[in-house]
Amino acid sequence: MKKTIITSLFTLLLVACGGGSDSTDNSQSGQQKDQQNQDTEVVFDNLSSLAEFPIGVSVPAGQYANSILNSEARKQIVLQHFSQISAENIMKMDALQPNQGQFSFNHADNLINFANNNGIGVHGHVLLWHSQVPNWMKSFSGDKQQWLTMMKTHITTVATHFAGQVESWDVVNEAFLDNGLYRSIGDSGSVWYQNIGAEFIQEAFVAASQADPNADLYYNDYNLSSSSSKINAVVAMVEDFQTRNIPIDGVGFQMHVTSSYPSDDTIKAHFKKIVDLGLKVKITELDVRMNANSQHQQVSDAILKLQQQRYFDIVSAYLEAVPAAQRGGITIWGISDADSWILNLYDQEDWPLLFDENFNEKPALQGVAQALNND
Ligand code: XIL
């Protein structure tokens, strides 16, 4: 592990521009520690060399115009800094089984070959989700048993195909609402819940475990670091699985967060709830919105400095709350700001990631490095 530290006038200057902790609930000692680390720049060639656990990034591939396989700039960043990838879209249900019984693995195989050939691991995303479901599945007609068979066929075929090539899977994504109830009806309802009931979740985990006994199996969701109802629902689900020997190895916290919400203390407390169950905690989709209130027309040094502090605080919270043996890793949801899904989702300017639209390193990258180097 490379841990060279030099004092940096650059970061000292940026601290003076207002880079204090953006959360109000830090302890005094925490603030002092943060301040101390903002004053030193970590020199590193390779971000992932600073961690003992996977440092991942989600990548576009396949038919997407910004595929890393066709972009030297993106490819170089992945090769230089990351030890794991997640496919941003091409391993979702609609991509892998566009028509019933017709599996389409070519794009994903190409991406995984690239990863394997370069010593980069793969986190599988995602076996089962209510979104990006192919149309034929949405309009599938059958009784509960037929739905279960159709669901398990997808999971078994996909997990068997990639067995030995993925380190872990998001088995089920976003089954709960923020109020802790199962996602069921409505615009973003779940066809799985509607047609099978809550047991679709355990059936998905059992099928994944049978198909690939060696991969770590995660339940993945957003707002787990902020909503207590949602994290408590996941805790109850895991406890129930544990009493009935349903396999589950970890919980994926997506962590699409803003510059100030949720607080560091809430994030830590929510990680700890999963740690206490003996499961792994993985940050699966980290990005930090800096323009959630649409107040900025363009990015500034002060915004970038605040973001550096926020990335530092989140990674520090992870390291503080999650013991080494339970760290599944940290994945950033995208390479460059230009490609971030956040810009499309909210249809406005934002700068959520570690590299800017010209693929230059941002202070946020240094924030992650400082926190990792501290461990
Ligand atoms: C997003 C992708 O980044 C977008 O390109 C796509 O249009 C929609 O999905 N939670 C997840 C991810 O689990 O799969 C989502 O990815 C972001 C939210």
Side-chain angles (χ1 to χ4, degrees):
M1 223 196 280
K2 187 167 179 177
K3 293 202 174 193
T4 320
I5 302 175
I6 60 165
T7 303
S8 163
L9 277 175
F10 168 72
T11 45
L12 278 172
L13 267 176
L14 287 175
V15 167
C17 292
S21 169
D22 65 313
S23 54
T24 51
D25 53 357
N26 266 345
S27 67
Q28 183 62 25
S29 66
Q31 276 178 1
Q32 281 166 353
K33 199 176 166 201
D34 291 358
Q35 198 63 42
Q36 205 177 6
N37 286 292
Q38 287 295 299
D39 294 349
T40 52
E41 187 177 346
V42 181
V43 177
F44 60 97
D45 295 328
N46 172 338
L47 184 69
S48 65
S49 70
L50 301 173
E52 305 279 0
F53 48 82
I55 299 292
V57 63
S58 89
V59 297
Q63 73 280 20
Y64 288 83
N66 52 358
S67 165
I68 56 160
L69 300 182
N70 301 325
S71 163
E72 277 311 310
R74 293 176 179 83
K75 201 191 287 184
Q76 280 317 314
I77 288 175
V78 173
L79 292 174
Q80 183 175 349
H81 288 294
F82 295 95
S83 55
Q84 191 179 66
I85 55 169
S86 299
E88 185 174 6
N89 284 299
I90 67 164
M91 289 171 72
K92 292 173 178 174
M93 303 185 92
D94 56 355
L96 294 185
Q97 198 185 176
N99 299 298
Q100 184 163 18
Q102 186 193 94
F103 287 84
S104 171
F105 289 124
N106 281 351
H107 288 319
D109 286 344
N110 288 340
L111 179 64
I112 290 181
N113 285 341
F114 161 79
N116 289 344
N117 290 341
N118 290 289
I120 295 172
V122 179
H123 173 67
H125 178 78
V126 50
L127 290 174
L128 201 77
W129 191 20
H130 67 276
S131 186
Q132 293 179 273
V133 167
N135 286 332
W136 72 264
M137 279 189 192
K138 282 189 219 153
S139 56
F140 182 83
S141 90
D143 60 17
K144 176 177 171 179
Q145 208 49 50
Q146 289 164 318
W147 268 89
L148 259 177
T149 302
M150 183 269 277
M151 180 194 90
K152 288 199 256 183
T153 299
H154 183 84
I155 292 174
T156 304
T157 308
V158 171
T160 302
H161 179 85
F162 294 112
Q165 302 189 76
V166 298
E167 304 175 277
S168 45
W169 272 110
D170 290 328
V171 178
V172 172
N173 199 21
E174 303 180 356
F176 291 100
L177 299 170
D178 285 357
N179 62 11
L181 298 178
Y182 289 111
R183 178 186 299 280
S184 53
I185 54 171
D187 280 349
S188 56
S190 165
V191 290
W192 311 110
Y193 185 89
Q194 287 159 17
N195 290 286
I196 299 171
E199 78 187 72
F200 85 85
I201 306 175
Q202 72 184 59
E203 293 292 342
F205 275 89
V206 169
S209 162
Q210 285 169 352
D212 187 352
N214 296 321
D216 277 343
L217 305 180
Y218 283 87
Y219 174 78
N220 192 52
D221 215 324
Y222 61 87
N223 288 353
L224 290 179
S225 62
S226 55
S227 160
S228 50
S229 304
K230 199 170 204 172
I231 192 74
N232 290 341
V234 172
V235 167
M237 178 192 76
V238 172
E239 285 172 339
D240 171 50
F241 279 16
Q242 289 177 329
T243 54
R244 294 186 297 117
N245 288 323
I246 307 291
I248 181 165
D249 299 293
V251 171
F253 289 66
Q254 293 185 6
M255 297 203 68
H256 301 292
V257 298
T258 74
S259 59
S260 60
Y261 182 81
S263 74
D264 302 345
D265 281 352
T266 305
I267 292 170
K268 273 185 257 182
H270 288 208
F271 286 157
K272 184 115 192 337
K273 284 175 186 259
I274 301 304
V275 167
D276 289 346
L277 296 169
L279 262 61
K280 291 189 179 171
V281 173
K282 187 173 178 74
I283 298 180
T284 49
E285 306 184 12
L286 181 58
D287 47 35
V288 177
R289 291 170 69 194
M290 300 308 295
N291 204 15
N293 299 325
S294 317
Q295 73 270 48
H296 303 299
Q297 302 304 316
Q298 56 190 34
V299 73
S300 65
D301 285 350
I303 293 171
L304 293 173
K305 186 64 195 165
L306 185 65
Q307 187 177 45
Q308 173 177 358
Q309 181 72 52
R310 181 63 164 156
Y311 269 99
F312 175 88
D313 290 341
I314 291 169
V315 175
S316 299
Y318 181 76
L319 297 171
E320 202 177 313
V322 185
Q326 286 169 269
R327 293 176 189 160
I330 299 178
T331 293
I332 312 293
W333 201 248
I335 301 168
S336 128
D337 283 343
D339 296 338
S340 170
W341 79 298
I342 290 291
L343 280 66
N344 290 329
L345 186 65
Y346 299 104
D347 195 22
Q348 67 180 31
E349 276 301 311
D350 213 319
W351 314 275
L353 299 172
L354 304 185
F355 296 85
D356 70 17
E357 70 278 11
N358 298 316
F359 307 103
N360 294 315
E361 298 178 3
K362 291 168 61 190
L365 181 73
Q366 180 62 214
V368 175
Q370 286 169 319
L372 292 176
N373 191 67
N374 226 11
D375 188 33

